[in-house]
Amino acid sequence: MGREIEQIKKMKRLFFLLTILYLSCTQLSGQDDTPAKETVTGMSRHKARFELTNALNKCRKKFFMIGRTSNIVLELVGSLIGNNTTLQLDLHDWFNDRPFGSMAFAYSDIQVSIVKRKKDEAEIYLSKPGATKYQRLHIINIGIDTCDHIASLLSLLKNKSIATQEQEDQKELELFKPIAQQYHSLVVKPGLQEEARKYLVQATTATEENLYEEAIGLLEEAIAIDPLYPQAHFNVALLWAQVSIYEAAILAMKKYLMLVPDATDARAAQDKIYEWERKKIK
């Protein structure tokens, strides 16, 4: 057993040295903050944060960083969007097999570069202002499409201010008013369209399996087909809150109350909005 452990340690050291050699020989190309492919035109900050979480989840175990004074190989063990202004990554020290802690980047000043390596693989570099090549965080050997999408999402989050997004949310609520008024004018409320029902049922199943990101996507599909179904807005609001994107949760719950202001749970729904307004500014 002791000999096997020693062999594993030797293999780790060899892999570590090869990784450091590979990264040390890497030369950056491309321009900071210039995604290779624009994929998020017109997307809200809320949806960008949501999609960024999904994209980073695909990159688990592929994060590496070279420290300034010592060489450290890191793995992404979990990704979380800390708040509306910061990208936070949970990292693991692969070589020493122990938690490394979290690394935070402010969206407003994050710098992104992409290097295409092979036909279907690429690397992305994240850094803070004034960072040297020994302070960059490298995500290596990820798909080119994933790499481009992450860069586009980060570019949007860097360039679209929170104030701008708040204005867009308010405009969206104004545009939703005629839809709510149309619903109020109906003596007999319409049933849920069959295609929307399919997505709603699938979203319920995904929620029961704790697949919140998938459930959000399914509910958004249902709402796009049938925006006059109040429960879909209520459910997606709770799910946005579950993934800590409270701005989107507030927007969805306000639409629910616009549709059914006299609902039996209207008081509880409004109280949820107050709760999320406090959490979104932390």
Side-chain angles (χ1 to χ4, degrees):
M1 178 64 73
R3 183 176 298 176
E4 291 178 355
I5 293 175
E6 187 60 33
Q7 287 178 342
I8 292 173
K9 288 182 177 179
K10 286 182 179 180
M11 290 178 64
K12 275 197 169 187
R13 292 191 188 98
L14 177 60
F15 179 80
F16 172 79
L17 292 173
L18 290 173
T19 301
I20 297 305
L21 178 63
Y22 170 78
L23 293 175
S24 297
C25 294
T26 297
Q27 296 295 321
L28 287 177
S29 65
Q31 298 294 319
D32 284 349
D33 308 316
T34 304
K37 185 193 300 180
E38 182 57 59
T39 61
V40 296
T41 303
M43 184 181 292
S44 69
R45 283 180 60 89
H46 317 318
K47 188 66 179 288
R49 292 170 63 206
F50 170 67
E51 290 206 6
L52 182 59
T53 298
N54 293 336
L56 289 175
N57 281 335
K58 295 178 182 178
C59 299
R60 289 174 186 242
K61 308 295 183 181
K62 293 185 179 179
F63 274 60
F64 293 81
M65 181 183 71
I66 299 181
R68 169 179 280 181
T69 57
S70 62
N71 295 318
I72 306 173
V73 179
L74 300 176
E75 296 173 310
L76 178 68
V77 293
S79 60
L80 61 115
I81 306 303
N83 54 47
N84 208 8
T85 61
T86 306
L87 168 66
Q88 183 173 311
L89 304 173
D90 288 339
L91 301 167
H92 185 267
D93 184 343
W94 180 86
F95 187 64
N96 295 303
D97 194 21
R98 63 189 180 191
F100 178 81
S102 295
M103 193 168 188
F105 298 84
Y107 290 128
S108 60
D109 56 29
I110 195 172
Q111 296 177 5
V112 183
S113 296
I114 294 177
V115 177
K116 299 288 179 66
R117 286 290 163 207
K118 301 177 183 177
K119 182 178 180 180
D120 58 350
E121 292 183 350
E123 300 176 15
I124 190 168
Y125 299 78
L126 309 182
S127 60
K128 301 178 181 181
T132 69
K133 67 179 181 179
Y134 298 109
Q135 296 172 304
R136 291 190 178 101
L137 187 66
H138 305 245
I139 313 175
I140 70 171
N141 296 334
I142 61 177
I144 290 174
D145 288 344
T146 299
C147 194
D148 289 341
H149 195 49
I150 289 174
S152 290
L153 294 168
L154 289 170
S155 179
L156 183 148
L157 289 164
K158 175 184 176 72
N159 295 318
K160 179 181 284 190
S161 69
I162 295 174
T164 298
Q165 185 58 59
E166 289 176 345
Q167 292 173 358
E168 291 179 5
D169 288 350
Q170 188 58 43
K171 183 178 180 180
E172 186 171 336
L173 288 175
E174 291 296 324
L175 292 173
F176 193 74
K177 279 183 180 180
I179 297 174
Q181 290 169 355
Q182 174 191 352
Y183 183 78
H184 297 158
S185 67
L186 297 174
V187 177
V188 179
K189 305 306 181 188
L192 185 62
Q193 296 181 36
E194 193 62 30
E195 187 69 9
R197 179 179 294 279
K198 179 186 76 172
Y199 289 121
L200 192 66
V201 170
Q202 292 174 349
T204 300
T205 302
T207 301
E208 291 171 350
E209 296 172 357
N210 297 325
L211 301 174
Y212 303 123
E213 289 83 4
E214 181 182 345
I216 288 172
L218 291 166
L219 279 171
E220 294 287 357
E221 291 280 0
I223 290 170
I225 295 169
D226 193 346
L228 294 179
Y229 189 66
Q231 194 63 41
H233 295 281
F234 183 89
N235 291 353
V236 80
L238 296 181
L239 286 170
W240 279 120
Q242 187 67 40
V243 296
S244 302
I245 303 183
Y246 299 110
E247 298 81 4
I250 291 168
L251 183 62
M253 193 62 84
K254 285 183 176 180
K255 289 181 179 179
Y256 170 73
L257 288 173
M258 289 171 70
L259 287 170
V260 285
D262 298 326
T264 56
D265 59 357
R267 177 71 275 163
Q270 182 60 55
D271 288 347
K272 276 293 181 185
I273 291 175
Y274 294 149
E275 175 187 330
W276 297 334
E277 284 176 342
R278 173 180 173 272
K279 288 183 176 181
K280 78 171 185 176
I281 60 177
K282 283 191 171 184

